[in-house]
Amino acid sequence: FGTIAAANSLSDVYAMGGRPLAALNVAAFPADLPSEILAEILAGGSQKAAEAGVPVLGGHTLDDDEPKFGMAVTGLVHPDRVVTNAGACVSDMLVLTKPLGTGIITTAHKAGKAHQDVLDSAIQIMATLNDHASQAMLEVGVHAATDITGYGLAGHLKEMVQASSVAARISRSALPVIPGALELLEQDIVPGGTHRNLSAVSGSFSWDRSLSQKDMLLISDAQTSGGLLIAVTPDRVDRLLARLKERGTPVAAVIGEIVQGPAGKIIVTP
């Protein structure tokens, strides 16, 4: 819990090409649960922050009915090197650095339907920092980036193309997926947030007729601590993929491209 929450909190800084400097814990915890559980959560967060080279300076804890934990992170980036989600240009290639499916798998785990190896894979991916992906994109030079979290690939891609006043085309078959997630999706195991995401983007997406409802749900799946979605020029994409692979990111997948069209419009092909 703590490890994944910390990685997720640090991700926003990495997505903008920044370097995290310090973090503060923000926790809400039921008073009737053993304090040892909170200690384990904080320890996990501290360990992941240490991996990132970030000191945890303190924090705040509230009594609440449901355990919650995250970090407020301060980072540093040169004003001329900020990577935003608003700079994507027509002909840019779209690159994703983590596979999809964490929302489906964690929901299946809550229902007791996820095999341990599938859950372990999802945990490992969620706990992986986006620092190496960020370093790779800075080395190569890219136009735009965002991290994929609760709004899913669909929601965060929509934000990118709207902010950049462009459209996009992605391929369902090009999307990397955590092994086991599709089998769970076939059992209709889908988070409520994923359904809400799909509903929220319905007016912006144009789906090929061969795509199923489950394909749409996968693309809309609410992720926790997902990868970076990067827009890079065609002449630099191979270099970016090579840097990502050298740095050991979970995946380095070209999933589509930026195209001309109404701002915020996304075409999904098989």
Side-chain angles (χ1 to χ4, degrees):
F1 188 173
T3 296
I4 293 168
N8 190 56
S9 298
L10 291 159
S11 186
D12 287 309
V13 175
Y14 291 133
M16 298 188 73
R19 176 171 59 89
L21 296 178
L24 290 172
N25 288 328
V26 181
F29 200 75
D32 57 351
L33 284 182
S35 60
E36 291 79 7
I37 297 176
L38 178 57
E40 289 283 347
I41 293 171
L42 295 176
S46 179
Q47 291 165 9
K48 185 54 62 172
E51 180 185 331
V54 175
V56 180
L57 303 181
H60 303 279
T61 307
L62 302 172
D63 181 18
D64 200 354
D65 293 335
E66 182 180 6
K68 303 177 183 71
F69 173 69
M71 288 180 168
V73 181
T74 300
L76 180 70
V77 65
H78 191 284
D80 295 335
R81 300 193 68 193
V82 177
V83 181
T84 73
N85 68 350
C89 300
V90 173
S91 81
D92 279 352
M93 308 303 293
L94 291 167
V95 176
L96 188 62
T97 67
K98 285 186 183 182
L100 305 176
T102 57
I104 295 164
I105 293 170
T106 53
T107 298
H109 171 60
K110 293 174 187 176
K113 295 184 177 181
H115 291 298
Q116 190 62 46
D117 58 338
V118 175
L119 178 63
D120 288 344
S121 295
I123 290 172
Q124 181 180 4
I125 287 164
M126 290 186 289
T128 299
L129 292 170
N130 281 325
D131 56 345
H132 290 170
S134 180
Q135 292 161 12
M137 75 176 186
L138 289 176
E139 288 175 6
V140 172
V142 304
H143 281 155
T146 188
D147 59 332
I148 306 301
T149 52
Y151 293 131
L153 172 62
H156 290 284
L157 176 56
K158 177 184 174 183
E159 287 183 341
M160 177 182 284
V161 292
Q162 280 184 327
S164 304
S165 298
V166 294
R169 179 170 55 239
I170 62 173
S171 167
R172 162 62 187 90
S173 60
L175 299 178
V177 184
I178 302 171
L182 293 180
E183 289 77 7
L184 294 169
L185 183 58
E186 287 296 328
Q187 300 175 44
D188 293 321
I189 298 174
V190 183
T194 296
H195 284 290
R196 290 190 292 273
N197 287 343
L198 179 55
S199 177
V201 302
S202 60
S204 299
F205 273 68
S206 176
W207 307 90
D208 187 273
R209 290 185 178 182
S210 67
L211 297 174
S212 68
Q213 180 77 2
K214 289 182 172 58
D215 292 322
M216 300 177 192
L217 288 168
L218 174 67
I219 293 171
S220 305
D221 190 37
Q223 303 299 281
T224 297
S225 191
L228 299 188
L229 176 66
I230 303 169
V232 60
T233 57
D235 61 321
R236 296 186 182 185
V237 67
D238 287 341
R239 188 174 159 212
L240 175 61
L241 296 175
R243 290 289 185 273
L244 291 170
K245 292 172 183 176
E246 288 169 4
R247 291 185 173 276
T249 57
V251 296
V254 177
I255 66 167
E257 61 185 327
I258 300 297
V259 296
Q260 289 183 336
K265 191 68 175 180
I266 299 162
I267 301 165
V268 186
T269 67

